[in-house]
Amino acid sequence: MTVRHFLSLLDYTEIEYRRILNRAAALKQAYAAGIRPATLRQRVLGMIFEKASTRTRLSFEAGMAQLGGTAIFLSPRDTQLGRGEPIADSARVMSRMVDAVMIRTKDHAMIEEFAAHSKVPVINALTDLNHPCQLLADVFAFEQNRGSIQGKRVAWIGDGFNMCHSYINAAQVFDFELVIATPPGYEPDAKIVAAAGSRIRLVNTAQEAAKNADLLVTDVWASMGQEEERERRLRDFAGFTINKQVMEHANADALFMHCLPAHRDEEVSAEVMDGAQSIVWEEAEARLHTQKALLEYLILGDVSADLSHPH
Ligand code: CP
Ligand code: NVA
């Protein structure tokens, strides 16, 4: 059987994600009860980080350790990848030594090429195109608080970049409505929008996007690699801050999420970020539980291992 990768949310069906998310809920409960099943004992995850990370590295590394396995951190600074060894060769070598590979890089084509030559599952831990791992966490965190996301209205306010693309994919897979507000010139990729059909609506203002929303989401205005555009972006995104006034257009029980790291009083006001409707810390923790379930699914091909045996 050919190996399956996780490069985009569109790579699996909703039924498969439901199994993964249910398993994540069970793993979360087990973890809280002090039970750490060794389902990935002696398994190894290779992690290639070509960009910075706090949450992604921690959640994958801690997650593997908690399941009895190991994660190895690799950066271009201290591997031959950084000295020009071909991606295909690196994939052939790494995948003979580890059980799965996680990659964070700029160019989505790099991860696709790596996956094409890998014998083990490759996980996309953020590219300039998308960030599917974050969406597993976001859907999980929302549903832990509000039940099924199906049919709900989500407002994306900010940059139509990698996180926005994964929200569009998620609307397609999990069947929710997504209203996107970006400044002119920062719209998401039209092909990705078109693939999600009538669930997606593009509007011009934060207030319009927020109207009757069940969830409001944003991301930084200058992503990794766009630092030199920061000043221009701060000007272009004026009016797209999620603040109390914007939240007032949403449903009274609407939640706020942000993949983090956040810039308070840029894309979100401090008041909203640290307010009662924000579940950003729970969302960050959800990376741990959902990725443990994802790792089990990709490495073991199953998410039903007994949770009652601590290691
Ligand atoms: N949300 C997220 O991916 O965070 P890091 O960049 O810290 O990994
Ligand atoms: N859009 C952000 C997400 C960080 C998790 C970036 O690419 O830097």
Side-chain angles (χ1 to χ4, degrees), residues 51-52 55-56 104 125-128 131 134 156 159 161-164 219-220 222-227 259-261 287:
K51 287 184 175 184
R55 281 144 287 270
T56 303
R104 168 168 285 196
L126 181 136
T127 66
D128 280 358
H131 194 6
Q134 184 69 50
W156 175 272
D159 195 8
F161 194 50
N162 46 14
M163 274 298 299
C164 181
D219 184 14
V220 291
S223 285
M224 288 183 275
Q226 299 169 339
E227 289 79 4
C259 62
L260 307 179
R287 296 289 303 275

Side-chain angles (χ1 to χ4, degrees), residues 74-298:
L74 301 159
S75 88
R77 259 198 309 278
D78 39 38
T79 59
Q80 302 291 5
L81 261 172
R83 298 182 59 250
E85 182 167 10
I87 290 158
D89 293 358
S90 304
R92 291 182 182 107
V93 171
M94 272 186 76
S95 68
R96 283 164 183 259
M97 299 191 194
V98 300
D99 298 285
V101 178
M102 183 237 82
I103 303 176
R104 168 168 285 196
T105 191
K106 177 179 170 53
D107 188 4
H108 195 75
M110 179 274 187
I111 213 168
E112 283 180 335
E113 189 182 351
F114 194 105
H117 296 91
S118 172
K119 296 203 297 187
V120 300
V122 173
I123 299 169
N124 177 357
L126 181 136
T127 66
D128 280 358
L129 184 69
N130 57 11
H131 194 6
C133 290
Q134 184 69 50
L135 262 292
L136 290 183
D138 284 21
V139 170
F140 182 81
F142 179 85
E143 293 193 339
Q144 289 273 301
N145 286 278
R146 293 285 184 271
S148 175
I149 199 165
Q150 189 191 7
K152 292 285 197 297
R153 180 175 292 186
V154 178
W156 175 272
I157 297 169
D159 195 8
F161 194 50
N162 46 14
M163 274 298 299
C164 181
H165 290 156
S166 282
Y167 259 92
I168 297 168
N169 293 158
Q172 188 176 339
V173 173
F174 294 100
D175 192 22
F176 59 82
E177 205 185 324
L178 181 64
V179 189
I180 300 169
T182 70
Y186 294 97
E187 294 86 359
D189 183 286
K191 279 210 254 5
I192 298 174
V193 174
S198 60
R199 295 179 191 87
I200 313 296
R201 203 150 50 83
L202 268 56
V203 298
N204 298 316
T205 65
Q207 288 75 7
E208 222 181 316
K211 200 162 176 251
N212 301 327
D214 299 297
L215 169 65
L216 291 88
V217 201
T218 188
D219 184 14
V220 291
W221 289 341
S223 285
M224 288 183 275
Q226 299 169 339
E227 289 79 4
E228 74 290 353
E229 298 173 25
R230 189 173 145 74
E231 291 310 312
R232 176 162 59 80
R233 284 171 169 266
L234 282 179
R235 286 194 299 276
D236 291 350
F237 281 85
F240 285 83
T241 304
I242 300 186
N243 53 27
K244 198 161 160 281
Q245 289 69 40
V246 170
M247 290 298 287
E248 276 164 8
H249 292 265
N251 288 337
D253 67 345
L255 297 173
F256 171 77
M257 292 210 279
H258 188 313
C259 62
L260 307 179
H263 292 75
R264 283 179 180 75
D265 297 326
E266 290 183 19
E267 70 273 10
V268 57
S269 68
E271 194 180 15
V272 169
M273 171 86 178
D274 301 313
Q277 287 168 279
S278 169
I279 56 164
V280 295
W281 313 124
E282 190 179 338
E283 176 190 6
E285 181 188 325
R287 296 289 303 275
L288 179 71
H289 309 302
T290 51
Q291 287 163 200
K292 282 160 80 171
L294 176 71
L295 287 163
E296 285 187 351
Y297 193 69
L298 295 180

